[in-house]
Amino acid sequence: MSTLEIKDLHVSIEGKNILKGVNLTMKTGEIHAIMGPNGTGKSTLSEAIMGHPAYKVTQGEVLLNGENILGLPVDERARAGLFLAMQYPAEIPGVTNAEFIRGAINARRPEDDALSIRSFLKQLDETMSVLDMTEEMADRYLNEGFSGGEKKRNEILQLMMIKPKFAILDEIDSGLDIDALKVVSRGVNKMRGPEFGSLIITHYQRLLNYIVPDVVHVMMGGRIVKQGGPELAKRLEDEGYAGLRDELGLDIKLVDEDA
Amino acid sequence: MTVEFENYPEIKSYAKSVTEPKWFTDIRVKALESQPKLELPNFEKIRYHRWPIQLKEKLKKVSSNAELLDDLPIEDAKHLVVQLGQDTLQKSGLTTFEEQGVVICDWQEALEKHSGLVQKYFMQKAIKFDEDLLTAQHVANLTSGLFIYVPKNTVVKEPLTTYFVQDSTQKNDYVHHVILVVDSNSEFSYLENLMTVGSEKTTANIIVEVIAQADSHIKFASVDRLGANTTTYLNRRGYLERNSKIDWSMGMMNDGNIVGDFDSDLVGDGAHSEVKVVAISTGKQVQGIDTRVTNIGRHTIGHILQHGVILSRSTLTFNGIGHIIKGAKGADAQQESRVLMLSTKAKGDANPILLIDDNDVTAGHAASVGRVNQEQLYYLMSRGLPKKVAERLVIRGFLGPVLAAIPSKVIEEQLKVTIERKLVDGQKDE
Ligand SMILES: Nc1ncnc2c1ncn2[C@@H]1O[C@H](COP(=O)(O)OP(=O)(O)O)[C@@H](O)[C@H]1O
Ligand SMILES: [Mg+2]
């Protein structure tokens, strides 16, 4: 079992304080969800954990099995067991999806024990069929010209191939129709097990019907303001973020205040 | 004009030692005598004048130790010529070519057996011996090379591969000349490898004349890996007659300072030159690449595509010159030069130069010097790839459009391997 602890995390971007003390602890075997209005800092939290250079941690720590990882470069955090399915994955021309994924797997193995092409291709084939991906996606350049939905599937494909300890999924549901949402959820659910934990970031409750979380955190104004079980997500869906904000007496402006 | 050999004992004794024809020794002397009034050529933004690029060593015949080749990455190509310094060490798989009437001779043999043919082309069409100080020094000091002649109406199916290895275990100038003549309506494919063995500080002056006669098609590829202590002037010049085409694919993977002077003269109507260059500069080296296409004939097409990557404290300059001469109606000149910087201390330059003297033409250019996309690097690293591996992948994507446009898959693959090796070595100084 592994643990991921976020302690009093403060993060700023371009001098603007976005996260103002986030605390969250999770273990492998658990699925946690973070919900929150747009612009509240959910992506900032995930990028700061992964180590995007634009996001500056000004206070607090992130511990993986008790070790602070904030001093590590991005690739070492990844090899230590973290994975981030990004909201906006980069496009890399000239590098095929398959060779990239194989490279990522082999980066975690000793040089003299690289995964054979055969067994790699077998795994890739099986995983792609779980995600209803066509074979040609393996030979296309990484994310180049992929539709929004294809990019999301491709993030989950990488997740399933790389098998990290903890995966943060940043709005993996955005822009997906219901069928695609089911496919992506099927992939994540297949990963569930004692050696895998996931932090699922979403704006909507819908995804959580398919990937049922153990814990739901609500984030507003750069902090986690409430925690609960799956029923908390349902309640947010019914009442909106404004309702919860007003109940908690928070002075936060919602960007997309609707009801 | 009569030529006085007596004043040039070195040339005289060298000429005797290799028994070269009189016309050739004459032109050596003329080239030598023309030097006082000649200057180094100028290339926009390439400052090489103080480099040890001028030839200084005395003209002399030297031989090399054949065992030096043992450790070099020389591919066992099907049709192969290997030269080390002034010696030809291997010629294999050439029978099928000879049966088609193709002439492939090293320099001395060409002067002996095909003197008339060499005389017809040597510094006559593509370049003049007194064009500038470097060409004149070249002619006066030339000691090795290869002559290839493909007769009319001959389609040679398989490529010829050459390795020209400069011997820098000795302190000699390397003065090397290649002539490739493809006669009317013929096709030929050629891959040239320049390499260095040894690490003495030396100067190389290399001229390659490629003559495409009417309706011929030449695929010219090169992978240049000259050593870190070799200062080089490398001139590759194409002369294209009516409806001929040259596809140039050049990989500049040298480790030392070099001026690459790559020109195509589209002389005949409908002539077409496609120039693809990839270059990688590492360490402290300077690579200056001046690629010019001159549209002289009507409906000629000249396209330049060059992408380069710079690491450490190195420099890379790409000049792209599209020159359309008055009267070249319907000509097309297009170019794209891009440089990717991996280090803040590296210097890159991409200069598009269009000189257009006719109205009825099409022309365009694109040029850029930029840094590695940080989002791409971050994405790759977030999957566990170490930074240097991630950088190499981004670079591959950047060079991809040029590599993909190379007409031969074999050469594309070979270039990819060479690029990877040069990048891995170059990243060690980062
Ligand atoms: N690269 C950036 N540059 C400047 N501001 C940013 C950047 N990324 C995010 N922000 C700002 O930080 C805040 C939080 O953004 P984000 O973490 O993306 O929110 P969420 O994912 O919850 O929608 C927003 O106000 C957003 O405008
Ligand atoms: Mg977000």
Side-chain angles (χ1 to χ4, degrees):
Chain A
M1 188 198 64
S2 299
T3 56
L4 180 66
E5 295 166 84
I6 299 154
K7 290 186 167 170
D8 191 31
L9 193 67
H10 289 64
V11 176
S12 68
I13 179 154
E14 290 175 1
K16 218 163 39 164
N17 295 323
I18 308 294
L19 298 188
K20 298 160 186 162
V22 173
N23 290 286
L24 192 158
T25 297
M26 64 180 297
K27 298 186 181 67
T28 46
E30 298 173 353
I31 302 260
H32 289 227
I34 297 187
M35 299 184 70
N38 281 332
T40 205
K42 302 184 299 295
S43 291
T44 302
L45 175 64
S46 45
E47 298 289 6
I49 295 171
M50 197 69 235
H52 190 296
Y55 296 80
K56 300 276 173 270
V57 174
T58 53
Q59 194 177 318
E61 51 192 0
V62 176
L63 309 175
L64 180 61
N65 293 330
E67 300 263 357
N68 191 355
I69 57 161
L70 291 181
L72 299 179
V74 179
D75 57 317
E76 286 182 35
R77 295 186 199 194
R79 294 196 298 274
L82 295 183
F83 182 94
L84 170 59
M86 298 191 193
Q87 195 171 357
Y88 306 106
E91 301 191 2
I92 321 280
V95 179
T96 68
N97 221 358
E99 72 175 320
F100 166 61
I101 296 175
R102 184 156 163 260
I105 292 171
N106 283 332
R108 290 162 170 79
R109 299 167 67 114
E111 222 164 284
D112 55 1
D113 185 31
L115 184 62
S116 77
I117 296 200
R118 254 186 103 124
S119 51
F120 167 74
L121 286 178
K122 185 163 172 284
Q123 267 185 51
L124 187 68
D125 251 23
E126 288 167 4
T127 315
M128 286 178 73
S129 71
V130 170
L131 295 171
D132 284 351
M133 291 172 81
T134 53
E135 265 176 51
E136 53 99 31
M137 297 286 287
D139 298 322
R140 281 173 61 182
Y141 291 149
L142 182 51
N143 294 329
E144 196 184 43
F146 283 26
S147 70
E150 285 173 335
K151 282 185 182 163
K152 302 286 173 170
R153 274 178 214 227
N154 205 37
E155 293 292 282
I156 301 304
L157 173 66
Q158 293 173 42
L159 163 71
M160 295 175 76
M161 293 295 291
I162 289 172
K163 303 183 179 69
K165 295 189 179 101
F166 289 102
I168 306 167
L169 312 182
D170 191 1
E171 297 212 18
I172 200 73
D173 52 339
S174 70
L176 291 187
D177 62 29
I178 193 75
D179 291 331
L181 190 70
K182 284 181 185 166
V183 168
V184 161
S185 305
R186 181 164 74 211
V188 177
N189 285 328
K190 243 181 125 67
M191 295 291 294
R192 281 187 107 142
E195 294 308 318
F196 176 73
S198 188
L199 186 60
I200 295 176
I201 292 173
T202 179
H203 185 69
Y204 303 105
Q205 184 263 343
R206 196 178 58 152
L207 175 67
L208 305 180
N209 290 334
Y210 298 99
I211 311 173
V212 180
D214 301 295
V215 185
V216 173
H217 309 261
V218 181
M219 191 166 163
M220 273 193 242
R223 284 192 190 89
I224 287 174
V225 295
K226 195 169 174 70
Q227 291 185 12
E231 72 292 343
L232 177 56
K234 293 229 167 57
R235 193 190 135 192
L236 277 177
E237 185 76 356
D238 298 338
E239 298 174 15
Y241 290 106
L244 181 66
R245 173 196 61 186
D246 298 340
E247 179 196 302
L248 296 171
L250 297 169
D251 179 21
I252 293 164
K253 183 156 169 35
L254 299 178
V255 190
D256 48 357
E257 210 153 347
D258 25 34
Chain B
M1 159 178 153
T2 56
V3 176
E4 281 301 333
F5 299 125
E6 301 312 320
N7 300 338
Y8 307 100
E10 268 164 39
I11 291 186
K12 193 182 165 199
S13 71
Y14 177 83
K16 225 183 214 140
S17 72
V18 297
T19 60
E20 64 189 23
K22 182 170 178 303
W23 71 264
F24 193 75
T25 315
D26 281 357
I27 192 172
R28 279 192 197 279
V29 171
K30 280 193 225 161
L32 191 67
E33 289 182 334
S34 69
Q35 287 176 22
K37 56 179 199 301
L38 294 175
E39 288 180 16
L40 290 172
N42 280 314
F43 305 103
E44 195 84 13
K45 299 199 179 170
I46 301 174
R47 300 234 303 269
Y48 72 95
H49 293 68
R50 288 161 178 230
W51 296 359
I53 202 164
Q54 299 198 45
L55 301 176
K56 285 189 197 67
E57 304 291 320
K58 293 198 163 112
L59 183 62
K60 62 174 185 281
K61 177 137 186 65
V62 293
S63 51
S64 297
N65 177 356
E67 283 166 18
L68 292 172
L69 291 184
D70 292 350
D71 299 330
L72 295 183
I74 292 182
E75 242 197 320
D76 194 20
K78 198 166 163 194
H79 311 287
L80 182 66
V81 174
V82 180
Q83 296 185 352
L84 170 63
Q86 299 178 14
D87 303 334
T88 297
L89 296 183
Q90 195 182 344
K91 282 176 89 173
S92 49
L94 304 185
T95 330
T96 50
F97 289 14
E98 282 155 9
E99 281 164 2
Q100 288 188 282
V102 177
V103 174
I104 301 172
C105 288
D106 75 18
W107 199 249
Q108 265 73 42
E109 192 188 352
L111 287 176
E112 251 169 67
K113 295 189 184 158
H114 304 279
S115 173
L117 206 50
V118 178
Q119 187 171 16
K120 184 170 166 197
Y121 296 103
F122 178 72
M123 302 302 263
Q124 294 300 315
K125 287 175 181 269
I127 312 173
K128 299 282 178 283
F129 76 90
D130 57 354
E131 199 166 289
D132 56 53
L133 188 53
L134 293 175
T135 59
Q137 289 182 353
H138 176 91
V139 171
N141 293 281
L142 200 176
T143 46
S144 67
L146 194 72
F147 179 79
I148 305 163
Y149 174 80
V150 180
K152 281 192 175 82
N153 303 318
T154 305
V155 175
V156 181
K157 291 246 159 54
E158 294 180 332
L160 172 70
T161 302
T162 58
Y163 283 84
F164 300 128
V165 182
Q166 177 209 12
D167 180 359
S168 285
T169 63
Q170 318 181 40
K171 215 170 160 38
N172 292 316
D173 291 334
Y174 183 59
V175 190
H176 189 79
H177 197 96
V178 177
I179 294 180
L180 168 58
V181 181
V182 177
D183 213 327
S184 312
N185 207 26
S186 295
E187 286 175 31
F188 193 69
S189 176
Y190 174 75
L191 167 61
E192 175 171 282
N193 295 271
L194 293 174
M195 285 183 191
T196 300
V197 60
S199 54
E200 289 289 337
K201 287 195 166 67
T202 51
T203 303
N205 182 321
I206 301 163
I207 294 183
V208 180
E209 300 184 80
V210 181
I211 293 158
Q213 297 195 321
D215 302 295
S216 67
H217 185 183
I218 301 175
K219 289 181 186 166
F220 182 103
S222 57
V223 181
D224 302 326
R225 283 162 278 187
L226 293 164
N229 291 328
T230 302
T231 302
T232 306
Y233 173 66
L234 173 58
N235 182 339
R236 291 199 174 106
R237 191 78 60 95
Y239 180 89
L240 292 91
E241 298 181 2
R242 187 171 40 81
N243 292 331
S244 66
K245 185 179 184 200
I246 303 180
D247 284 299
W248 303 90
S249 311
M250 294 182 269
M252 295 289 279
M253 303 292 144
N254 307 290
D255 289 331
N257 292 350
I258 184 163
V259 176
D261 179 6
F262 304 141
D263 293 353
S264 298
D265 289 329
L266 306 175
V267 179
D269 291 354
H272 183 172
S273 180
E274 290 285 334
V275 191
K276 312 275 189 291
V277 182
V278 292
I280 296 173
S281 290
T282 56
K284 291 181 187 166
Q285 79 171 135
V286 179
Q287 295 195 97
I289 296 168
D290 192 271
T291 306
R292 174 173 66 78
V293 177
T294 308
N295 300 69
I296 301 161
R298 285 172 299 165
H299 302 286
T300 48
I301 302 171
H303 292 170
I304 299 169
L305 175 63
Q306 34 194 11
H307 282 198
V309 179
I310 47 178
L311 282 72
S312 308
R313 295 163 178 275
S314 67
T315 301
L316 176 64
T317 303
F318 275 139
N319 293 331
I321 305 168
H323 188 178
I324 301 182
I325 304 288
K326 187 151 186 63
K329 302 272 177 233
D332 182 38
Q334 306 290 341
Q335 56 164 295
E336 177 185 325
S337 301
R338 301 196 186 280
V339 178
L340 181 69
M341 292 196 290
L342 269 97
S343 142
T344 47
K345 291 174 188 118
K347 286 204 273 301
D349 220 328
N351 309 306
I353 302 164
L354 279 176
L355 307 164
I356 300 180
D357 302 327
D358 202 286
N359 297 322
D360 180 20
V361 302
T362 49
H365 63 82
S368 64
V369 178
R371 318 200 112 274
V372 171
N373 181 320
Q374 294 301 313
E375 291 303 320
Q376 290 182 335
L377 267 191
Y378 167 66
Y379 185 75
L380 295 170
M381 289 173 69
S382 81
R383 300 308 187 236
L385 297 178
K387 184 165 185 213
K388 288 182 176 178
V389 176
E391 281 179 345
R392 293 204 296 274
L393 290 181
V394 174
I395 290 168
R396 204 201 302 169
F398 170 77
L399 297 178
V402 189
L403 296 174
I406 290 174
S408 153
K409 268 271 159 275
V410 178
I411 286 158
E412 182 187 341
E413 285 312 312
Q414 193 177 340
L415 255 179
K416 279 183 182 166
V417 172
T418 313
I419 287 167
E420 187 77 3
R421 193 186 307 136
K422 169 98 173 148
L423 287 174
V424 169
D425 286 348
Q427 284 177 325
K428 287 179 188 148
D429 327 315
E430 291 279 287

